[in-house]
Amino acid sequence: MSEMALLPHSKVCVQRRPDMISHELICTARALFADDKGLLAMDESNPTCNKRFAALGIPQTVEARRAYRELIVTTPSLGDCISGVILYDETIHQLKDDGTPFVKVITDAGIIPGIKVDTGAMNMAGYPGEKITEGLDGLRDRLKEYFEMGARFAKWRAVIAVGDGIPSQGCMEANAQALARYAALCQEAGMVPVVEPEVLMEGEHTLDRCREVTEEVLRTVFDRLYKQRVMLEGMILKPNMVLPGLTCPKQETVDEVADATVQCLLRAVPAAVPGIAFLSGGQSGELASARLNAMNVRFKSRLPWALAFSFARAIQQPALEIWRGEEANLLRAQRALYHRARCNRAARRGTYDTAMETNGSESPPRS
Ligand code: 13P
C-alpha cells in the first residue's frame, strides 16, 4: 500500500480507480485502530457545544468554540493515544490563533482528521417520540469538499430512543437505510464511514431490554449496509455499550455490562468489520474506561474485531470543566484531556486500572 493513501495532504489523483479507493479505505480503517489508539469525537454541533458551554458559564461565541477546539488539537502528545479526531463543519474550517489550519495541526500530530456529515436528528413524521437523522441531500458534494480539505473518514449518528412501544420497526428501518446510503457515499468518496446507531441511555429500561434493542438495531443496520453494497472491511461501527437505562433501579456491574455488550455484538456484527469504536453516551469517563477495559480483558483474544473508543464527553468533559473559558486553565485542562485519552488507550490494552485515576495524570502536556 502506498503510505500516501493515509496522508490527508497527499495529492491523490483526481480519478482514482475503485480498487485503489477500496485499498485506501481498508488502510485508513486499519490505521484508525492501530497501536491501541482510538478516536476523539469533537464534532458537537454549535447548539450542543453552546449548551455545554452555557452550563459552565462559558460565552457561546464562535471565538470561544474556536479557542476550546484549539486547546484540544494542540494538547501535547495527543497523537500517542488518539488516531483520529471527528470535527464539525465549523471546526474543520477554523485556524489556530497563529493562523495554522486545524487540519494541519491535527495531521502534523499524526492524527487523521474526520468529519461529522449528518445534519442532525429531527422528529420523525408519524412516529411520536422517535427521530430520523437527516443530511443525505447534497452529501456527495460535501464529501468531496471535505476530502479535498483532508478528511479521511466521516461520521453519521442515528438516535434510537427506548420506551413504551419504541423503538418502532419504522424508525429502525428508516435510520438504518439513511446510515447505509451515507456509508455507500462515503466509500465512493474514499472516506471511511463511521456508522453510529446510538441506542440512548435515557429511560428506565433494563440492561436486557437495551441488549434486545441494540441487537435488533444492529441487525437492521447490517442488512441495509449489505443491500447498499458497503464494503465492511472499509467501515467502522460506532455503537452504544449495552447498558441499563439511566433511571433503571438495577445497575449492573462493569463485568456484566462487558459480557452483555460483547454477546450482543458477536450476534450482530460481521467479522469482516475491522473495528468497533464505542460512543460514551453520557457515561462518566471512569466508567466508560472501566467497561471498555473489562471487554478487552475478558474477550480480546477471541474477538474478530478490535474494540476501541470514539468518545466525546468521556474524554472531553473534565477538560472542559477545568478550562471554563480561561486561558490560565489551559495547561491543566490539556493535562486532563490527555489523561482521559491515556486511560482509554490502556482500556484498549486491558491494562486500565482505577489507580490510574489518582496517580496517572502527571504525564504530558508540558508548557
Ligand atoms: P459521546 O461519547 O459524548 O456520547 O459522543 C460521541 C459522539 O460522537 C456522539 O455522536
Side-chain angles (χ1 to χ4, degrees):
M1 177 282 300
S2 149
E3 289 300 314
M4 295 299 281
L6 295 181
L7 297 175
H9 292 295
S10 65
K11 288 276 175 265
V12 181
C13 42
V14 180
Q15 286 178 333
R16 292 168 302 148
R17 295 193 320 264
D19 60 320
M20 291 165 67
I21 294 181
S22 302
H23 195 61
E24 287 170 19
L25 291 171
I26 292 169
C27 291
T28 304
R30 282 195 193 142
L32 288 167
F33 287 101
D35 301 326
D36 297 313
K37 297 181 196 179
L39 308 182
L40 166 59
M42 48 180 288
D43 60 332
E44 297 82 5
S45 64
N46 290 347
T48 302
C49 191
N50 287 344
K51 201 166 85 189
R52 295 193 185 147
F53 279 14
L56 294 167
I58 302 168
Q60 294 111 68
T61 60
V62 182
E63 175 48 25
R65 290 193 297 272
R66 192 208 60 77
Y68 176 57
R69 267 63 184 259
E70 175 165 341
L71 176 162
I72 295 177
V73 299
T74 58
T75 295
S77 307
L78 193 64
D80 291 354
C81 310
I82 300 296
S83 55
V85 292
I86 312 176
L87 304 169
Y88 179 62
D89 182 70
E90 177 178 88
T91 321
I92 199 170
H93 291 94
Q94 282 175 326
L95 316 173
K96 254 179 79 177
D97 59 3
D98 69 3
T100 316
F102 279 173
V103 173
K104 177 161 168 44
V105 177
I106 291 164
T107 51
D108 285 353
I111 298 173
I112 303 175
I115 180 79
K116 167 199 178 82
V117 296
D118 67 71
T119 55
M122 310 296 167
N123 291 335
M124 184 160 155
Y127 289 82
E130 299 193 283
K131 304 257 186 206
I132 177 72
T133 300
E134 295 185 351
L136 288 171
D137 288 351
L139 181 57
R140 178 176 268 140
D141 291 340
R142 287 193 290 129
L143 288 169
K144 200 158 169 262
E145 276 170 37
Y146 289 136
F147 185 92
E148 278 160 11
M149 292 182 77
R152 287 294 174 271
F153 70 104
K155 185 195 100 168
W156 179 291
R157 171 176 178 255
V159 290
I160 307 291
V162 183
D164 267 354
I166 61 171
S168 64
Q169 199 65 33
C171 171
M172 286 187 284
E173 283 178 10
N175 276 293
Q177 178 70 10
L179 277 166
R181 290 272 296 113
Y182 137 83
L185 284 162
C186 279
Q187 292 193 334
E188 179 191 80
M191 290 165 76
V192 169
V194 173
V195 173
E196 182 180 8
E198 175 175 6
V199 176
L200 296 173
M201 284 168 72
E202 281 75 21
E204 252 194 286
H205 54 273
T206 61
L207 173 131
D208 273 341
R209 175 83 177 124
C210 178
R211 173 170 36 200
E212 183 181 82
V213 171
T214 304
E215 186 177 331
E216 181 74 22
V217 166
L218 292 176
R219 284 181 186 281
T220 310
V221 167
F222 279 101
D223 175 65
R224 297 305 160 106
L225 290 169
Y226 178 71
K227 288 190 178 125
Q228 294 302 320
R229 302 181 174 170
V230 172
M231 181 184 54
L232 300 184
E233 292 83 352
M235 65 160 278
I236 290 172
L237 178 69
K238 175 165 173 168
N240 51 286
M241 294 185 192
V242 172
L243 303 169
L246 280 174
T247 51
C248 177
K250 181 156 187 249
Q251 293 289 318
E252 276 76 2
T253 64
V254 165
D255 284 351
E256 285 167 335
V257 165
D259 289 358
T261 303
V262 170
Q263 183 193 53
C264 173
L265 295 172
L266 281 170
R267 287 178 175 173
V269 183
V273 172
I276 295 174
F278 292 104
L279 60 96
S280 60
Q283 304 173 69
S284 71
E286 287 86 347
L287 259 184
S289 298
R291 287 163 169 165
L292 176 62
N293 185 66
M295 289 181 224
N296 280 313
V297 168
R298 294 160 82 81
F299 302 104
K300 187 176 186 168
S301 61
R302 290 183 276 149
L303 298 177
W305 3 257
L307 287 185
F309 56 91
S310 176
F311 299 155
R313 283 164 287 180
I315 293 181
Q316 289 184 42
Q317 194 58 27
L320 183 60
E321 286 173 15
I322 292 169
W323 178 59
R324 288 179 187 264
E326 302 290 338
E327 177 72 21
N329 300 332
L330 184 101
L331 280 182
R332 271 197 315 127
Q334 288 186 326
R335 202 169 292 127
L337 188 88
Y338 181 83
H339 172 64
R340 288 256 55 85
R342 186 169 162 266
C343 287
N344 289 309
R345 184 188 52 181
R348 276 209 62 189
R349 294 178 170 157
T351 59
Y352 169 79
D353 193 289
T354 46
M356 283 179 77
E357 302 295 351
T358 44
N359 59 21
S361 51
E362 73 285 352
S363 22
R366 293 166 294 274
S367 57

